[in-house]
Amino acid sequence: MIRFDSVTKRYRGAPRPALDDVTLEIGAGEFVFLVGASGSGKSSLLRLMLREEKPTSGEIHVLGQRLTSISTRKVPYFRRSLGVVFQDFRLLPNKTVYENVAFTLQVIGKSRGFIQTTVPDVLETVGLAEKSSNFPNELSGGEQQRVAIARAVVNKPSVLLADEPTGNLDPRTSEGIMQVLDRINQQGTTVVMATHDVTIVDRAQKRVVELVQGKIIRDELEATYVTSSIKLPKPPVTESTPVQNGSGGVPLWARRGQQQQQPATGAQEVRPSTGAVPVQRPATGAVPMARPATGAVPVQRPATGAVPVQSAAPASAPIWVRAETGPVLLPGEHAPWRAAPVAPPVEEEHPDGRSLFFAAPVPATGAVNAHTEPGAPETEADESDLRGVARRREQLPEHLDFITGLGLRGRRGDADDEVGPSS
Ligand SMILES: Nc1ncnc2c1ncn2[C@@H]1O[C@H](COP(=O)(O)OP(=O)(O)OP(=O)(O)O)[C@@H](O)[C@H]1O
């Protein structure tokens, strides 16, 4: 659903890259925290996912779109499958809660009937049904953020990107926001959330991707803000390594979209008769995850229930297994690890099925439902309608680019135009 391949982002004039050779994959329906010190590159990562920025090198695929080659004209439609939430809410002060949320749908041309059905539903989801007639200044910070979340998800995006959504909120309110995001995630939306909020991350026990100076130094499932894994010696590759099996040296059980770890010393590979995936863990059950000293290495628990786990030898020299491309992580190798459990990789030419389900697919042509008059029929529009949308979007606040998916800052005409701030 989201894939970064060796992505480097270097801003003009910056002494070091904001992102440095980042390889990352996020599957459909995942909830991922991006953590790291200020300036470590979290927002840059989100901006690249939004195609607000282009990478200096590397490839980015989001929802089946190759973002390095998507034309500027298509960016707004691509963004319709994404929802974005910011730390500072960015509500329209002269519109009610209902109107703030409905506005997104009006701008992209949804019919009045559709809006009247959808907006109350989403306000219910975020627990604001009772406040639909209130203006933003009549709401608490947490309530305002929930309006912003409602606005971001009202178009049923496949992916919700949240940049420190609890940054301005007290711990209790933050917890409420987290519950809302969790609910949205459980409804199928992939959530990627940049945060400094240790409590939120520790409580949630979800996947954590940690950045340090633009590099991913940790990628763990069911993790905490600070890693709980013990640092282990670099994995040795020995002849007794029990993972070479079958064609290409990749064992069957290592190709199932899961990552497992196996102690090398004294460990025995266990293959249940059911054909289920064998996996072993260190004897210290309290420490489920660990990583070698180098590289961006997510160490993940096997999918619940799918894998028999066997206590084994001490965690002295584990073997690290990549699900997609090979069995053993060599010291210093920057491996394209795969998140588990995830859907099959998205092929560029086959848009992700989930996006089709949760949101309108990115149109292959310039067609767009551009009618914004209340009650107007939902029809495909032609290029002149598109120009109408372009005119209207120029009258909107800039940040609505990412809320409405209209690509406010996208210039028309040249397919190679940069979108967003120059880099
Ligand atoms: N438009 C820009 N031009 C130049 N440098 C930039 C730009 N945006 C970000 N940077 C630099 O890139 C690095 C990463 O910044 P980024 O905003 O991605 O970090 P962050 O982890 O989101 O930080 P924070 O937690 O403070 O929001 C920083 O050194 C920052 O100064």
Side-chain angles (χ1 to χ4, degrees), residues 166 169-182 197 199-201 203-204:
T166 61
L169 305 173
D170 64 68
R172 191 147 163 230
T173 312
S174 298
E175 190 53 40
I177 292 299
M178 190 55 212
Q179 281 166 12
V180 170
L181 293 175
D182 221 4
D197 196 325
T199 311
I200 290 276
V201 174
R203 277 215 192 127

Side-chain angles (χ1 to χ4, degrees), residues 11 16 18 37-44 47 164 196:
Y11 293 103
R16 62 166 180 83
S38 187
S40 58
K42 304 181 295 297
S43 300
S44 297
R47 286 202 291 269
E164 296 190 38
H196 290 287

Side-chain angles (χ1 to χ4, degrees), residues 6-64:
S6 301
V7 169
T8 293
K9 174 64 189 175
R10 199 178 274 280
Y11 293 103
R12 199 175 294 146
R16 62 166 180 83
L19 292 172
D20 189 358
D21 196 22
V22 165
T23 293
L24 173 70
E25 183 154 350
I26 296 173
E30 280 200 270
F31 195 122
V32 180
F33 288 117
L34 299 177
V35 305
S38 187
S40 58
K42 304 181 295 297
S43 300
S44 297
L45 203 62
L46 294 178
R47 286 202 291 269
L48 287 166
M49 287 175 190
L50 270 170
R51 190 19 179 90
E52 188 185 356
E53 296 283 357
K54 282 180 179 174
T56 309
S57 62
E59 285 292 345
I60 301 174
H61 290 78
V62 177
L63 295 170

